[in-house]
Every structure is written in structure tokens, then in C-alpha cells.
């Protein structure tokens, strides 16, 4: 396992006893959990300031909803949503990530100084690899079956853990062939992206295996997701306890980054978890 993750303006050591906390900043009207809450620039910046005060390590800015059934967003609309926020936050002292699968958005974000490209499509779009090749930003490679519009229609696997690992191996090999340094890469099994509840929990239990086989840092994002609702019976706005439990399971299985909505509570939970290790 590499000792650090090259993260644009930051180098994050990976031998610490607790994962980095990535806070979700959705500047969308229709994301599954917080859609519409931070769509205006002032409210988005206020939310970012609160996350910084709460101890966030990375702020992940997203302008296009990837909830199940979501249609694709026109390029210009996504740029209009995310770029003002990115420019306003680039000197905030925290690492910035852009959650996008569009090569044009990647290029604009890199030019603005973003530290990570977080791509739910695994850099599979034509031109995506070329867009990120010559930058120094980190790249998060995620597994997704089908597209957000169709991914939850009927997810099927013969062995979800093996197939996710094989997919990630293929994407990492493609990036290596393109000359991209492994120290820029991290992986994400893609909880909720073309998976049933059973698939999601199989992957959660297998995080240590996935991380070991890929020999790369791992990002886990289970915050408020339907897999938690399926177990607890709670609606999305009442899934804090389930989200924290998911974070602690992910941390125990070696996750290097946890992507969450509830930064303050996650930071506190991880402090207690770390004190017991």
C-alpha cells in the first residue's frame, strides 16, 4: 500500500489511524438527500464554512445529481452550478474535490485548481483520461453498473465483490497505460450505484479485501443511502445513526476516506473509534 495520496495541492499520508472525512456539498436541486438546500452560492459557501469548522478534510462539490433515476445534466448547467463555488472555495485551506463524469467539467475544475476528480463513471467517458492525464490532482475511480438513470432497475452480479474488484483492476490498468501515477489514484466500490441492499453489504464487509487486492487507498460513501434505510426502516432524513455505523464499519475495514453528509458527527464518532484503537 502506498504511503500517501497525491491530492493536488495536498499530500495526504495514509498511515494514520483514522480515515479522512470528505464532506458532501451538493449544489443541485434534486440530489437524493440534500437537494435544493445549498443550490445558491451564499448557502453553499455557508455550508462549506460549517464543514470546515466541524473538521472536514476534503470538500466534494457536485452539480449533477446521481440519485437513482436521475437524468444527465447539460454541460453548461453543470459548469454554472459548480465553478462559482469552486472559485470561491479554492483558498479556503481545505482540499477540494469535484464530483463529475464530464471531461469538460474536469478540465475547467483542474484549471481552477481542484485537488481531486471524483468520477462515478470511472473515467470511462471519451476524453476523460486525456482531461486528467497531465494534472496533479487525485483521481477517485468508482464502480457503477449502468447509468444513474437505469442503475437500480435490476442490478445483477454472479459475484459482486469479484466483479467490482475486476472492474477496478481494469480501470487502474488503463490509467497506468496512459502514464498516470498510481500515487494519484484511489478506488470506490460504489455503494448504491447499480447494487441491491445485499450487494452493498457484501461490499461493505469486503472493503479490506478490495483495498488489499487493488493495493490502493479506498474511499467509502454510505452516508444516508438506501442500504441503511432498508436495514433500519428510516427515511433519508433519519439515517444519521445508520450512517455513523456505516462509517465505523468502513473505518474498521481500512477505508482511507469516508464521504459523508454529517461532518461534525462523523468527526466525533471517528475520534472515539480512534481512541479505542
Amino acid at each position: 500500500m502506498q504511503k500517501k495520496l497525491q491530492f493536488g495541492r495536498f499530500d495526504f499520508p495514509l498511515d494514520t489511524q483514522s480515515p479522512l472525512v470528505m464532506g458532501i456539498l451538493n449544489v443541485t436541486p434534486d440530489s437524493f438527500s440534500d437537494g435544493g438546500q445549498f443550490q445558491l452560492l451564499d448557502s453553499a459557501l455557508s455550508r462549506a464554512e460549517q464543514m470546515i469548522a466541524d473538521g472536514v478534510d476534503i470538500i466534494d462539490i457536485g452539480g449533477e445529481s446521481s440519485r437513482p433515476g436521475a437524468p444527465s445534466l447539460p454541460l453548461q448547467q453543470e459548469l454554472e452550478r459548480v465553478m462559482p463555488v469552486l472559485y470561491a472555495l479554492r483558498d479556503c485551506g481545505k482540499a477540494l474535490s469535484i464530483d463529475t463524469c464530464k471531461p469538460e467539467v474536469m478540465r475547467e475544475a483542474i484549471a481552477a485548481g481542484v485537488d481531486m476528480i471524483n468520477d462515478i463513471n470511472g473515467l470511462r467517458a471519451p476524453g476523460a483520461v486525456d482531461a486528467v492525464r497531465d494534472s496533479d490532482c487525485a483521481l477517485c475511480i468508482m464502480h457503477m453498473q449502468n447509468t444513474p438513470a437505469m442503475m437500480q432497475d435490476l442490478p445483477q452480479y454472479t459475484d459482486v465483490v469479484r466483479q467490482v474488484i475486476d472492474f477496478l483492476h481494469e480501470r487502474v490498468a488503463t490509467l497506468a497505460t496512459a502514464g498516470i501515477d498510481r500515487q494519484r489514484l484511489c478506488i470506490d466500490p460504489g455503494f448504491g450505484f447499480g447494487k441491491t441492499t445485499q450487494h452493498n453489504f457484501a461490499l461493505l464487509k469486503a472493503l479490506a479485501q478490495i483495498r488489499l487486492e487493488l493495493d490502493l487507498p479506498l474511499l467509502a460513501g454510505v452516508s444516508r443511502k438506501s442500504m441503511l434505510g432498508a436495514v433500519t426502516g428510516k427515511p433519508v432524513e433519519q439515517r444519521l445513526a445508520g450512517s455513523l455505523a456505516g462509517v465505523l464499519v468502513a473505518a474498521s475495514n481500512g477505508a482511507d476516506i469516508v464521504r459523508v453528509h454529517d461532518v461534525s458527527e462523523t468527526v466525533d464518532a471517528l475520534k472515539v473509534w480512534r481512541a479505542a484503537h
Side-chain angles (χ1 to χ4, degrees):
M1 175 65 60
Q2 64 196 50
K3 296 298 184 183
K4 69 173 185 176
L5 176 60
Q6 182 183 332
F7 212 97
R9 299 166 295 172
F10 301 78
D11 281 334
F12 285 126
L14 297 171
D15 54 355
T16 60
Q17 297 302 305
S18 186
L20 299 164
V21 175
M22 172 185 274
I24 298 167
L25 183 59
N26 285 325
V27 286
T28 62
D30 56 348
S31 289
F32 83 97
S33 175
D34 51 5
Q37 292 186 37
F38 311 115
Q39 195 176 359
L40 299 176
L41 181 59
D42 285 349
S43 59
L45 298 184
S46 294
R47 174 62 179 154
E49 288 168 5
Q50 185 60 57
M51 288 196 288
I52 292 168
D54 291 338
V56 79
D57 298 297
I58 305 158
I59 298 173
D60 190 40
I61 303 163
E64 178 176 29
S65 174
S66 56
R67 76 188 193 286
S72 181
L73 185 72
L75 169 63
Q76 194 56 39
Q77 204 170 345
E78 185 175 345
L79 288 169
E80 288 170 358
R81 289 178 182 179
V82 300
M83 294 310 298
V85 179
L86 181 53
Y87 278 115
L89 290 177
R90 62 179 175 178
D91 295 321
C92 72
K94 297 294 182 180
L96 300 180
S97 167
I98 188 84
D99 181 355
T100 187
C101 54
K102 293 185 176 69
E104 299 89 343
V105 177
M106 296 175 193
R107 290 184 188 278
E108 292 289 335
I110 289 168
V114 80
D115 302 294
M116 171 184 260
I117 302 294
N118 182 17
D119 183 4
I120 64 170
N121 196 38
L123 295 169
R124 287 180 289 172
V129 174
D130 288 340
V132 303
R133 179 189 283 117
D134 297 326
S135 67
D136 62 358
C137 63
L139 305 171
C140 186
I141 311 304
M142 197 192 85
H143 174 276
M144 174 173 60
Q145 190 177 85
N146 290 321
T147 64
M150 300 169 55
M151 64 188 180
Q152 292 305 106
D153 288 355
L154 193 63
Q156 292 186 348
Y157 301 87
T158 54
D159 181 338
V160 66
V161 174
R162 186 75 258 152
Q163 286 172 256
V164 167
I165 289 172
D166 289 346
F167 169 87
L168 294 172
H169 269 306
E170 182 276 323
R171 295 313 301 153
V172 169
T174 296
L175 297 178
T177 301
I180 292 173
D181 192 330
R182 278 181 67 88
Q183 289 204 333
R184 294 173 58 193
L185 304 183
C186 72
I187 52 171
D188 180 350
F191 294 103
F193 286 83
K195 283 102 178 171
T196 65
T197 298
Q198 290 75 18
H199 295 144
N200 286 320
F201 279 97
L203 289 166
L204 187 59
K205 288 188 286 186
L207 285 184
Q209 175 191 348
I210 297 169
R211 185 176 183 271
L212 181 65
E213 287 206 31
L214 270 297
D215 194 31
L216 285 169
L218 187 143
L219 183 152
V222 299
S223 182
R224 301 185 188 175
K225 288 192 173 175
S226 61
M227 61 186 284
L228 307 177
V231 170
T232 64
K234 297 291 179 66
V236 65
E237 66 274 9
Q238 295 178 25
R239 293 178 188 164
L240 173 60
S243 295
L244 295 177
V247 161
L248 296 181
V249 172
S252 297
N253 284 336
D256 299 279
I257 304 171
V258 289
R259 184 178 182 272
V260 302
H261 297 87
D262 305 290
V263 171
S264 176
E265 294 87 347
T266 300
V267 168
D268 285 352
L270 286 171
K271 285 177 180 176
V272 175
W273 176 83
R274 185 168 60 244
H277 279 67

